[in-house]
Amino acid sequence: VNTYSHMLQTMAIARGLRPDDRALARSAAIGATLPDLPYLARGARLLVRRHGRVTVAELLARLDYGGTTNWAPDLALHSLIVPAAVMAAAGPLPRRAREHLRALAAGWAGHCVADVATHGSDARPALWPVSRRRWHSPLSTWEAGRHAVAVTGAEHILTALAVASLAQQGWKPDGGTRSARKRRTPATGGDLIAFASRFVRHPARMGAIVPTSQRAVAAMLDGTDLRRAGLVVELGAGTGVFTRELLRRSGQATRIVAFETDPVLYSRLAARLADKRLTLVPVTAERMRLHLDGELADAVVSAVPLTSMPASAREQILAEAAAVLAPDGTMLAIQYSPARQADLERVFTSVRRRYFAANIPPALLYTCSGPRPGR
Ligand SMILES: C[S@@+](CC[C@H](N)C(=O)[O-])C[C@H]1O[C@@H](n2cnc3c(N)ncnc32)[C@H](O)[C@@H]1O
């Protein structure tokens, strides 16, 4: 497995497990990079010695960590014994130092385990120096007879998901200032995997491969004051990135009704979001009026994929959204193309659009008001 994959996947997993502690994720990522450092150092030395004048082939030969599997530093760094010893040694240290060392050792051990699973004829003894036995995996990143293409493909899909997960949470080392960090409720690694796996099964119904980024959620909601809202309706709650933020921004008397058709995502949300102001509705938003007890909404927040759903469902949802919105209410909608703008303009007298790049994929944020009468 490539060093960047070890590092990025470990960081994404650590952030998923402890979303509030990015420093620990960095320690885990350093641990996951450590075993390959001698090779990276060899490559860097070659570059310095030759003043950067090296061919790609020479550099790759120098970085070839598959080749030298009897080199003592390599064997030590790729042995599970060493991170286990680091973990044991962390025991008596102060709490924070212990947490960091354990994160480092866990990232390091994760690297060793991933390598055991993906090294065939170039396997290293995972318990060196206690045992010199090498287990030759049937999988390899470079041996054609050991499914190299599939293994490398899987490695890079996982790495792309890790990058998406990290991008969702923002790249800044500690999520910006302390107050900004407090304000955010980032998607966890589990949310990301749940979302992506539902996308693989139902791409048209999901409409995106990862949840909306925290920054896009904030940008979409920032102009709308929800503290005194009586009713807020959410369409397509997914893993709850908007729902959490709506709960955080609304007043104690606000009622939030969130529709989500996907049974897996609905169950996850129902298990995680217990708030008496929130009603989760596990049905399509096409008949939203039936669930609102005749009350008009101050805001309708939509992340449903209006473009990829059938035209009849789209028309029904837009007509219903306009019908349930109070005359001075606002509909906020996230879209990935302007294809549905004309539909929005048919049901609202004012439709404003903003482009927002910090999302996967980059998004258009719509603010609509003035529901047209007689829809
Ligand atoms: C692009 S995802 C957005 C999820 C989440 N709000 C976010 O921003 O990450 C769209 C969500 O809408 C849900 N959905 C699709 N069609 C729907 C419908 N007709 N009624 C309610 N939810 C729907 C999907 O199951 C999916 O969770």
Side-chain angles (χ1 to χ4, degrees), residues 167-170 184-187 208 210-224 241-243 245-246 249 301-303 332-336 354-367:
Q168 289 302 99
Q169 298 178 37
R184 289 187 186 162
T185 46
V210 287
T212 305
S213 76
Q214 209 54 47
R215 278 190 270 175
V217 171
M220 192 150 132
L221 300 181
D222 271 351
T224 310
V241 277
F242 278 102
T243 326
E245 205 49 25
L246 290 173
R249 291 173 184 237
V301 178
S302 166
L332 304 167
I334 180 165
Q335 290 290 289
Y336 306 117
R354 277 174 298 155
Y355 174 72
F356 194 81
N359 189 63
I360 301 170
L364 294 173
L365 307 182
Y366 283 98
T367 306

Side-chain angles (χ1 to χ4, degrees), residues 195 205-206 211-212 236-238 241-242 260-262 265 284-285 303-305:
F195 196 104
R205 194 172 76 192
M206 293 302 293
T212 305
V241 277
F242 278 102
E260 175 50 59
T261 36
D262 186 283
L265 297 181
T284 169
V304 288

Side-chain angles (χ1 to χ4, degrees), residues 257-348:
V257 179
F259 292 83
E260 175 50 59
T261 36
D262 186 283
V264 173
L265 297 181
Y266 166 80
S267 304
R268 267 180 80 84
L269 270 185
R272 276 147 208 257
L273 283 187
D275 190 307
K276 63 178 178 8
R277 294 171 296 162
L278 175 67
T279 309
L280 288 169
V281 188
V283 298
T284 169
E286 283 159 68
R287 300 255 172 266
M288 65 186 97
R289 223 182 308 194
L290 296 178
H291 303 270
L292 304 179
D293 308 322
E295 200 179 335
L296 290 180
D298 298 281
V300 175
V301 178
S302 166
V304 288
L306 293 172
T307 303
S308 55
M309 67 173 55
S312 58
R314 171 170 63 244
E315 278 159 25
Q316 180 76 28
I317 286 180
L318 287 178
E320 286 273 304
V324 304
L325 201 62
D328 58 348
T330 309
M331 169 147 173
L332 304 167
I334 180 165
Q335 290 290 289
Y336 306 117
S337 84
R340 302 279 64 95
Q341 185 158 333
D343 299 295
L344 291 168
E345 284 165 351
R346 249 195 305 281
V347 288
F348 294 102

Side-chain angles (χ1 to χ4, degrees), residues 132-197:
R132 286 171 191 271
R133 257 197 86 209
R134 294 170 195 249
W135 179 72
H136 298 286
S137 170
L139 304 177
S140 162
T141 51
W142 62 275
E143 290 174 279
R146 296 180 196 257
H147 316 288
V149 173
V151 173
T152 306
E155 174 196 333
H156 286 92
I157 288 170
L158 289 174
T159 302
L161 275 175
V163 169
S165 163
L166 294 169
Q168 289 302 99
Q169 298 178 37
W171 292 103
K172 281 191 185 159
D174 279 300
T177 61
R178 186 171 285 277
S179 59
R181 200 162 65 229
K182 260 199 210 147
R183 272 190 267 119
R184 289 187 186 162
T185 46
T188 64
D191 287 340
L192 196 86
I193 290 165
F195 196 104
S197 61

